Amino acid sequence: MLFPTTIAGSLPKPPWLAETERLWPQWRQSGDALAEAMRDATRVALFEEEHAGIDVVTDGEQSRQHFVHGFVAGVEGIDFSKKVRRGIRGDRYEADCPSVVSPISRPTSVHAGEVRFARSVTDRTLKITIPGPMTIVDTLFDGHYGSRRDLAFAFADIIHDEILDLCALGVDVVQLDEPAFNVFFEEVNEWGIDALNACIRDVPCKTAVHVCYGYGIQANLDWKHSLGEKWDQYDIVLPMLARSNVDQVAIELAGSRVPPHVLAHLKTKSVAVGCIDVASDEIERPEDVIRTIETALEYLPPEAISPTTNCGMAPMSREVAYAKLRALGDGARAMRTRYTAATARR
Ligand code: ZN
């Protein structure tokens, strides 16, 4: 199928599950009631995605407080009672980061429960997101390893085993989220790509990596304004990702100052092209999505393009997020029809 749609991963949480429009929301339930609320929220997320015409769906990350800490919570060697406030993503903003206090290990699969449930309620191609090693390291306080590289490779081993477990449960695509790749170029070159490859070596599912300019939160909006008229970060990082073993690269495009020519760096990959701006509550029209796909077509063959959201939608309102998903699905469907008709005429 041409132009299969997907999303970056997260969707807003409903008010009966957690605080709304927050990046680190507090849960509104506990114990069994929380587990049931998470499952119900996952049902709604999958329903809305399917209803909007999203082809490669996710669980909307409804069972994680935050995309990094939700994974790290299942890893031993990290103390959540010892949070250290530190600047992350190159001091773009501060976060309370749990401490690494001893060698890390994964006693059991972190996301198996959510994946088993999501798999049981949708027949669509199922994608699960896991934070990448560099981004995890950048969202923790390291009180044990003393080297970002060493800690990242320890996480790569854990992520690799997690991917194998999730594939066995029927996951079709695993996406590693590496927003930190857009910040620490030297480290990406020195060990980031190797750590990414270590996560996905010989896994049986499709693999993707998402590198973006972050959620639509104020700190990111301020940072984006400081980047000038043309954002050249992808010109540095995408050639490195092109050399990695990952199948698909997911990037931000719509509503951004990313120069579209950077897409040409990814000629050897499938590319999830951001057609929905998560930094604005203005709802795209299907025509806007079509225009972004047409821009991507100037640099990539149609078979390579998968329309997606620029980033996670966790901090948005549900109403806005779901309306944006419907525009994404409608725009991609229109493009598919156009291309199918063109092929039939030939
Ligand atoms: Zn993102």
Side-chain angles (χ1 to χ4, degrees):
M1 184 209 279
L2 283 179
F3 310 119
T5 50
T6 187
I7 64 170
S10 68
L11 288 171
K13 294 184 179 73
W16 35 265
L17 173 64
E19 291 176 307
T20 54
E21 296 173 45
R22 293 262 183 109
L23 204 42
W24 270 275
Q26 294 301 308
W27 299 117
R28 294 223 199 262
Q29 314 285 340
S30 61
D32 289 347
L34 176 60
E36 190 173 338
M38 286 171 171
R39 286 193 295 272
D40 287 345
T42 303
R43 271 192 192 93
V44 174
L46 285 164
F47 172 85
E48 292 285 352
E49 288 173 74
E50 293 190 9
H51 191 64
I54 305 303
D55 302 298
V56 179
V57 297
T58 82
D59 68 347
E61 301 178 9
Q62 299 295 298
S63 306
R64 317 176 192 183
Q65 194 198 23
H66 175 266
F67 85 100
V68 175
H69 292 165
F71 180 75
V72 169
V75 174
E76 273 183 8
I78 293 158
D79 191 341
F80 271 73
S81 72
K82 286 190 187 151
K83 282 193 178 157
V84 176
R85 192 152 190 87
R86 53 161 286 211
I88 67 171
R89 311 292 180 266
D91 275 334
R92 200 187 314 160
Y93 55 99
E94 291 200 329
D96 295 318
C97 296
S99 298
V100 181
V101 294
S102 61
I104 56 168
S105 64
R106 190 192 66 126
T108 180
S109 169
V110 178
H111 290 309
E114 295 128 78
V115 164
R116 202 176 281 120
F117 180 75
R119 186 69 290 176
S120 74
V121 290
T122 183
D123 294 327
R124 296 221 175 162
T125 305
L126 180 63
K127 176 167 88 176
I128 290 295
T129 58
I130 298 176
M134 185 181 286
T135 297
I136 294 178
V137 168
D138 195 51
T139 320
L140 290 177
F141 175 77
D142 177 18
H144 180 77
Y145 284 79
S147 149
R148 280 163 69 96
R149 183 185 187 283
D150 291 352
L151 181 55
F153 276 90
F155 268 108
D157 281 340
I158 284 177
I159 292 167
H160 178 255
D161 293 348
E162 177 74 6
I163 294 175
L164 293 181
D165 282 346
L166 300 185
C167 288
L169 296 172
V171 162
D172 304 293
V173 185
V174 168
Q175 175 185 295
L176 296 168
D177 293 329
E178 282 286 24
F181 271 25
N182 238 354
V183 184
F184 305 107
F185 304 121
E186 268 178 41
E187 285 185 312
V188 175
N189 190 36
E190 283 164 16
W191 54 261
I193 300 294
D194 291 340
L196 183 70
N197 284 338
C199 294
I200 59 174
R201 63 179 187 275
D202 300 325
V203 299
C205 62
K206 288 268 176 226
T207 58
V209 60
H210 169 67
V211 179
C212 64
Y213 288 81
Y215 293 113
I217 59 171
Q218 193 57 47
N220 283 337
L221 300 183
D222 295 343
W223 175 62
K224 287 176 174 191
H225 281 302
S226 78
L227 294 177
E229 284 306 306
K230 207 159 145 208
W231 300 349
D232 55 9
Q233 285 73 14
Y234 282 153
D235 257 332
I236 305 168
V237 78
L238 296 189
M240 294 193 256
L241 287 172
R243 293 194 295 273
S244 76
N245 297 333
V246 77
D247 298 312
Q248 184 181 71
V249 180
I251 60 163
E252 172 167 350
L253 185 60
S256 76
R257 291 178 186 166
V258 170
H261 74 81
V262 300
L263 290 161
H265 294 306
L266 296 172
K267 284 208 165 95
T268 58
K269 301 289 181 195
S270 162
V271 186
V273 177
C275 297
I276 296 293
D277 184 5
V278 301
S280 161
D281 279 351
E282 199 179 314
I283 293 153
E284 285 81 355
R285 297 160 307 161
E287 303 91 278
D288 300 320
V289 172
I290 289 169
R291 203 171 312 117
T292 306
I293 298 172
E294 284 173 339
T295 300
L297 280 165
E298 292 173 28
Y299 303 93
L300 297 168
E303 304 78 40
I305 297 170
S306 181
T308 185
T309 56
N310 274 354
C311 190
M313 293 177 140
M316 305 187 86
S317 93
R318 296 176 96 196
E319 197 187 352
V320 169
Y322 293 143
K324 281 174 173 271
L325 289 194
R326 288 193 288 276
L328 179 63
D330 289 347
R333 192 180 301 116
M335 282 301 278
R336 203 173 296 143
T337 307
R338 191 194 291 179
Y339 264 76
T340 311
T343 311
R345 273 199 303 276
R346 255 183 242 138

